[in-house]
Amino acid sequence: MLVQLNANHPDQPFPAVDNALQEPNGLLAVGGDLSPVRLLQAYRKGIFPWYSDPSPILWWSPDPRMIFIPELFKPKRSLAKILRRGDFTITWDKAFEHVIHACAAPRKDSDGTWINNAMIDAYIELHRLGIAHSVETWHNQQLVGGLYGLAIGQVFFGESMFSRISNASKAALATFLRNALEWNYQLVDCQVYNDHLASLGAICIPRREFSSLLKIYCDHSSSDLAWHTMDN
């Protein structure tokens, strides 16, 4: 039976992730709220919210978990060529609200979105607190791609990406991963498997291993340079 979270008690502990359902993969709890306290507790344990209106908030911890290891990331030759050519300008934390709204826009193959107004407000608040960050891709001074997520210790929890022209989100991700290594991030969470991220070098690891890594890296500090310097 799924644990029902109390929206009036944001510090209510989550159940152990081993209690998550196998089908649907990773569903762990329902309800609660999207307060910073609740969200930080969730991410530190490898749990994230994912739901669509009018559903209540659903909390997930899938097994296995897809990740990038910045130290091992090497862009494919075609992507490396695009980055060297300087087709795009990459920035971070310059347009967080624009990025999250662009990620929330319906995709070509779907009319709906899981990034509803409550989620947008919650992550904008985390951005104001210096926890959520965005990476932006610009072309001809227009925002054409990007990604956003949460940074906790030496872990970046990726949430969503968007691209309005070819290779825009890939350029944002590759530039971020290169800098993530310099910033001493050890792990970038991608949540669940998809072919696109696998083609870029993301790998899957067991949930138990992922949880063990979070216990180590979330409590270690990233570099003071993180999110403050540009090198692309």
Side-chain angles (χ1 to χ4, degrees):
M1 180 180 295
L2 293 177
V3 170
Q4 177 74 44
L5 299 177
N6 189 328
N8 296 319
H9 295 283
D11 57 351
Q12 176 186 359
F14 282 91
V17 296
D18 288 344
N19 293 328
L21 300 180
Q22 293 183 348
E23 184 60 41
N25 180 13
L27 183 57
L28 179 67
V30 60
D33 65 309
L34 297 173
S35 66
V37 170
R38 178 96 64 186
L39 287 169
L40 284 173
Q41 182 195 169
Y43 279 90
R44 279 180 164 271
K45 293 181 178 296
I47 303 164
F48 57 88
W50 184 29
Y51 69 105
S52 300
D53 291 331
S55 165
I57 301 171
L58 302 177
W59 299 90
W60 303 78
S61 183
D63 186 17
R65 195 73 168 229
M66 179 160 256
I67 64 168
F68 280 105
I69 300 175
E71 186 177 7
L72 302 180
F73 175 72
K74 291 184 179 180
K76 289 188 175 181
R77 192 172 299 175
S78 58
L79 179 55
K81 183 177 180 180
I82 290 169
L83 296 175
R84 287 196 304 270
R85 268 201 324 249
D87 293 355
F88 301 111
T89 298
I90 310 296
T91 62
W92 39 78
D93 285 347
K94 300 298 184 185
F96 183 90
E97 293 191 25
H98 288 88
V99 169
I100 194 170
H101 279 284
C103 289
R107 311 291 168 134
K108 291 181 180 179
D109 56 350
S110 174
D111 294 330
T113 177
W114 59 271
I115 307 175
N116 57 25
N117 289 335
M119 292 278 280
I120 290 172
D121 291 344
Y123 288 86
I124 287 176
E125 178 61 20
L126 289 176
H127 177 62
R128 290 175 180 150
L129 294 172
I131 299 165
H133 299 276
S134 60
V135 181
E136 304 93 18
T137 304
W138 307 85
H139 182 67
N140 294 333
Q141 299 183 327
Q142 299 294 315
L143 181 66
V144 295
L147 61 90
Y148 77 95
L150 277 64
I152 303 175
Q154 294 178 348
V155 182
F156 184 77
F157 298 87
E159 275 296 307
S160 187
M161 304 167 62
F162 82 99
S163 187
R164 291 175 176 155
I165 65 175
S166 181
N167 296 310
S169 61
K170 290 182 183 179
L173 177 63
T175 303
F176 165 68
L177 287 170
R178 183 175 65 189
N179 283 276
L181 179 61
E182 297 180 4
W183 295 345
N184 205 26
Y185 284 115
Q186 303 298 317
L187 191 65
V188 175
D189 176 35
C190 306
Q191 298 181 348
V192 296
Y193 176 88
N194 72 63
D195 291 337
H196 175 64
L197 294 177
S199 72
L200 296 173
I203 62 173
C204 286
I205 63 173
R207 179 173 57 210
R208 184 164 295 181
E209 180 182 350
F210 180 74
S211 296
S212 296
L213 293 174
L214 293 186
K215 290 178 182 178
I216 298 170
Y217 295 134
C218 284
D219 287 334
H220 285 67
S221 298
S222 60
S223 167
D224 291 339
L225 298 176
W227 307 103
H228 295 297
T229 63
M230 173 59 65
D231 179 21
N232 69 312

